[in-house]
Amino acid sequence: MTNLVIVESPAKAKTIEKYLGKDFTVRSSYGHIRDIQKKGMGIDLENGFEPNYEISADKKKNVAELRKLTKQADSVWLATDEDREGEAIAWHLAEALNLDIDTTKRIVFHEITKPAIQQAIAEPRTVDMDLVNAQQARRILDRIVGFELSPILWKKIRTGLSAGRVQSVAVRLIVEREREIEAFESTFVFRVQGVLNLLDDSGKPVGDLEVKRTATFDTEEEATAFLEAVAKANLSVMSLEEKPAKRSPKAPFTTSTLQQEASSKLGFSVKQTMMVAQRLYESGKITYMRTDSVNLSELAISQAEDVINKDYGKEYSHPRRYKTKNADAQEAHEAIRPTDFSMQNVEGERNEQRLYQLIWRRAIASQMSDAQLQRTTVEIGIDNLPGDKFTAKGEVITFDGFLKVYDLDKSDDSGLLPPMKVGQALQIEEMGARQSFSRPPARYNEASLVRTLEEMGIGRPSTYAPTIDTVQQRGYVVKEDREGKERIYRQITLKDGKVQAESLTEIAGSEKNKLFPTDIAGVVTNFLIKHFGDVLDYQFTAKVEDKFDNIAQGQVQWQAMLEEFYQQFHPKVVSAEDVSREEAGQARLLGDDPKTGKPMYVKIGRFGPYVQLGDGENEEKPMFASLMPGQKMDVITLDEALELFKLPREVGEMPESYEAKAVDGTVFGVEKGQKIIAKQGPFGPYLEYGPKQYAPIKGFDPLSIELEEAVALIEAKIQADADKIVKTFPGTDVKILKGRWGPYITDVTTKKNAKIAKDEDALELSLEECQKRLDEAPEPKKRGRAAAKKPAAKKAPAKKAAAKKAPAKKTAAKKTTAKKTATKKTTAKKTS
């Protein structure tokens, strides 16, 4: 072996190896191979914030193989990605493989094409330690914040919570937007618009014109009076203005603009966009997908020009050089573009084809001519209302330019107005004034959150997707659709000279794929703002990113930057130890129960928000009730809380027996006369209709659900239980059941599950085949308390002595924290 090239991903390795020839062997590191050790903080705070790295358990075998290959190679080339993460991976590889950092060849490329790879080989450099240190500083600072903040949240609010520098700021944005929406008070106006007939000299209609009154009315009375006046008026063209205009293409994609466009046009999540883009990059179809640059190389501009001239004509070509607004853009050197502009479509998975098309269109459009337009504005005079007017606007595309490839939904005659002249008369075909309500600020979706973070300078291209994924995984944010609510509005219509008003209904406020904060997100955000305001301050977080950029440019020493941060941050961690659990959890007194006089509180618990009746004094046990779906702990009232204590509520009795039989003969049912009780649990309301027999309540209020409705839900649940059993094997615990994604194999005793392919007939599977698949299936994941206890149970026998000393270590760690030295704070669990 002569040359060993190490890249990040195996897919990339295959593509590159075919370009380099027989003298090169290409292997993958499979991403990061080392990270800060998991035990304790892993950072020596007293010695320059030195991190203690360890090879990840799942990478040890791969690292061992790479070490063997490096010894056999005459030359090793580190070809990890060109951003800071890639530079750090290259450095970690050099350290783990015992390579000389000053002489080992480091190569970078923005695209996986033969010319780019060959050029990189011809121009190697060494690892850029400034970039490595910028990544180290980010990783260490984030570990410090997570490691010191998360245990505070566990102690003061709830076990399992986490905090992070960018993560918590993103949650704060979502929480504050939700509060803006809750505080919003809608107002309304009446907007007037309609259709007028353009008349020729003989009074004959020769065309239609959609018009509107730019100003609005505050009351129905004003709008009605206006329409009544218009009904008696003569209308004519008062002015007619035509002027040329143009529309210019947008710059090629950056990471964030690609995520936003893929969301709006393809319906992709941020995470999905990055996964698909990664596959396109690794197969050599697009340039690197983590970038905040809009620049295109001269080669790319020239290639795009050739394609445009050939496929569309020279009049469509307009080479452009875009400049990145962010002067500190360091993540990459070029925008996201196709590696070959002549390839308009690619083979592969459908989503790869769709995303590639989006990237190709945006990039090629950026090098095309402006679209030329003719914009027309018409003002319609009202003779008996001289100070008033209607307006009509139209737009016609005279030359499509870049719209030929990028905005294909625009037709060439969009907004075309009929020919007319000043003084020409018009008559009313239909006119109306509609009550229009103001809207609260829009909730974030993933793409709009990315746009906001980018505009505020928070995070960088490589952090957006993992940040948004993390806040959802941690339970701070849920992404979901919500149905709108019916609303009454007033419509005033002028037709045939008569004005009539009526009340109509509409569905308002529906949401699709929006980000909603959970109650715990509000509690944690309030606590962090109060006690760690700097960490959640938007400007502070953006300035930290700037400091990382300065480190990457060699302008700031990374240990000095961390020292400055820690001196401000750590004293606040120490002070937070004195905060009471009640204060941190923001328990709120709602008032006193009018019947018993006991105080009523709303609190946050393990399963979410709940209300508590009584304070536990005089050895009297308080009563508890979970909040209903949609209720918020920061706005719930005493009256609403009292309603919750009406549960459990007896709805009635089963009027008739009901049963359903499964394919194996198992009977599911309920007897006549069985009491039906509506309850509220930690996961929502449900009906209890017998010992360990439950039916979830969907779409009904447990406080008001009627017997007939409850019976229908129970019967549906019984039938679903019976239909779930596809096949059983008598004398065994093995069954084939119907799940959300189709049939699957399960062992009802061990709880192990095994998959069944979509094209397989579940009924044809034998017991032997089912047992074989169960044996090969992974062990079921533990949940809740069982999951938390599992690691401790494994470690206990091997570390009995250490376990006995644990309390002493905990005390020592607490004392060390008070003295601002957290080097041996090993008992607090970390969240990185």
Side-chain angles (χ1 to χ4, degrees), residues 4 16 224 334 336-337 346 383 388 463 565 626 680 689 716 811:
L4 173 66
I16 293 173
T224 302
E334 204 172 352
I336 303 170
R337 62 165 176 84
V346 295
D383 66 346
D388 231 320
T463 65
F565 166 79
S626 299
Q680 171 70 13
Y689 57 94
T811 306

Side-chain angles (χ1 to χ4, degrees), residues 270-289:
V270 167
K271 184 177 180 180
Q272 182 182 16
T273 299
M274 296 311 292
M275 289 174 62
V276 176
Q278 179 93 25
R279 294 199 296 269
L280 289 172
Y281 167 65
E282 290 177 349
S283 59
K285 293 165 185 171
I286 64 170
T287 54
Y288 193 53
M289 66 286 158

Side-chain angles (χ1 to χ4, degrees), residues 320-332:
R320 289 181 175 83
R321 289 160 182 82
Y322 294 90
K323 290 186 178 180
T324 304
K325 293 180 182 178
N326 178 12
D328 296 321
Q330 295 293 320
E331 296 298 329

Side-chain angles (χ1 to χ4, degrees), residues 254-283:
T254 62
T255 300
S256 64
T257 54
L258 176 63
Q259 290 168 348
Q260 293 160 37
E261 198 83 343
S263 172
S264 62
K265 291 196 171 182
L266 305 180
F268 286 6
S269 68
V270 167
K271 184 177 180 180
Q272 182 182 16
T273 299
M274 296 311 292
M275 289 174 62
V276 176
Q278 179 93 25
R279 294 199 296 269
L280 289 172
Y281 167 65
E282 290 177 349
S283 59

Side-chain angles (χ1 to χ4, degrees), residues 53-91:
Y53 290 113
E54 63 182 6
I55 296 173
S56 305
D58 60 337
K59 298 296 174 65
K60 288 182 178 179
K61 183 178 179 181
N62 188 41
V63 170
E65 291 175 356
L66 291 175
R67 281 176 180 161
K68 288 181 182 178
L69 292 172
T70 57
K71 291 176 181 178
Q72 299 168 11
D74 297 325
S75 186
V76 178
W77 307 70
L78 301 177
T80 50
D81 290 345
E82 65 172 327
D83 56 12
R84 292 176 199 165
E85 289 291 320
E87 203 71 20
I89 292 173
W91 176 72

